[in-house]
Amino acid sequence: GNVLPMSALPTMSYDGPHFLTNLTTAGMRNPPNPDLHWEKVRTFNAGLDFAFKNDCVKGSIDYYNKNSFDLLGTTAVDPTVGFSNMLKNTATLKGQGIDLDIEGRIGLRQLTWQPRLIFSYVTNKVTKYFSNIVSPSSMITNGYLINPVQGQQPYTLASYKWAGLDPATGEPMGYYNGAVSKDYNSITGKATMSDIVFSGTTKPPYFGNFINAFSLFGFTFTANISYKFHYWFRRDLL
């Protein structure tokens, strides 16, 4: 489980003196939640280490599958109970990945080259979400916050559907009620899930390093290349 400051029982904390009456005050920090329970994780791992004669090539490959259930998250609740949101068991997540590490050794007279390739692939998907999205417009962010949309990756980049620029004025156009529109208030304030486009994850699923070490006459030189591929980001406006 996770060690987090939460409880199934209501908890309060000291807020200091009131700014008008100077009386001692306290505030509710955690509403009661008798249904709160542990997150559960099921993980499968398999790996293979290999090496050729004289260790000219050696390495390892690992595969893992990780399913997480009853994940904790802040979700909106009926405000008539006295709170607008609370921490609940809200989602199920499925992830899997591959790690590859290959190292070689090539000798050419006095020069020795030791290349090493590290490659990782990881993917996650929200398989169940037991809460309601407050509004589709709330998902239009920079993608660095979790968008818990069932069937999508948790850090997915969402955008409004794009209809290009108005050829007469150069103004951006979107869609509202299925038609091209420049009514920005309606586009942003009344958007439905059908008006949203999911581009992909903002977390690179492919990443790693290519490390090179060259040894000559007792000196060693290194050159490292880091890489990451196939992810999305929203460019800041100039």
Side-chain angles (χ1 to χ4, degrees), residues 3-4 7 44 46 50 56 93 115 129 140 142 155 171 173 175 195 198 204 216 220 226 236:
V3 181
L4 297 174
S7 170
F44 169 80
F50 58 89
C56 60
L93 193 68
Y129 185 57
I140 311 299
N142 57 14
Y155 291 95
E171 297 174 321
M173 299 184 296
Y175 288 91
D195 299 319
F198 296 100
L216 182 65
T220 300
S226 299
D236 294 331

Side-chain angles (χ1 to χ4, degrees), residues 123-135:
T123 182
N124 293 284
K125 181 181 290 187
V126 179
T127 54
K128 291 184 180 179
Y129 185 57
F130 303 108
S131 186
N132 295 319
I133 297 173
V134 177
S135 69

Side-chain angles (χ1 to χ4, degrees), residues 69-189:
F69 305 88
D70 298 325
L71 295 177
L72 296 166
T74 302
T75 183
V77 296
D78 185 349
T80 60
V81 302
F83 304 93
S84 59
N85 56 69
M86 64 186 299
L87 197 65
K88 300 175 66 177
N89 301 94
T90 59
T92 298
L93 193 68
K94 181 178 181 179
Q96 58 183 348
I98 296 174
D99 292 319
L100 177 64
D101 188 347
I102 300 177
E103 184 175 354
R105 182 182 180 89
I106 302 173
L108 299 173
R109 296 184 180 180
Q110 299 297 323
L111 176 64
T112 301
W113 175 34
Q114 292 179 278
R116 183 181 181 186
L117 175 65
I118 301 174
F119 169 81
S120 294
Y121 167 75
V122 60
T123 182
N124 293 284
K125 181 181 290 187
V126 179
T127 54
K128 291 184 180 179
Y129 185 57
F130 303 108
S131 186
N132 295 319
I133 297 173
V134 177
S135 69
S137 296
S138 66
M139 297 187 297
I140 311 299
T141 65
N142 57 14
Y144 299 125
L145 299 176
I146 292 178
N147 269 331
V149 180
Q150 189 165 312
Q152 298 290 335
Q153 301 193 56
Y155 291 95
T156 188
L157 184 66
S159 307
Y160 296 111
K161 286 185 178 179
W162 173 247
L165 300 176
D166 188 326
T169 63
E171 297 174 321
M173 299 184 296
Y175 288 91
Y176 177 61
N177 283 338
V180 176
S181 173
K182 291 193 293 185
D183 184 354
Y184 306 130
N185 290 331
S186 295
I187 292 173
T188 59

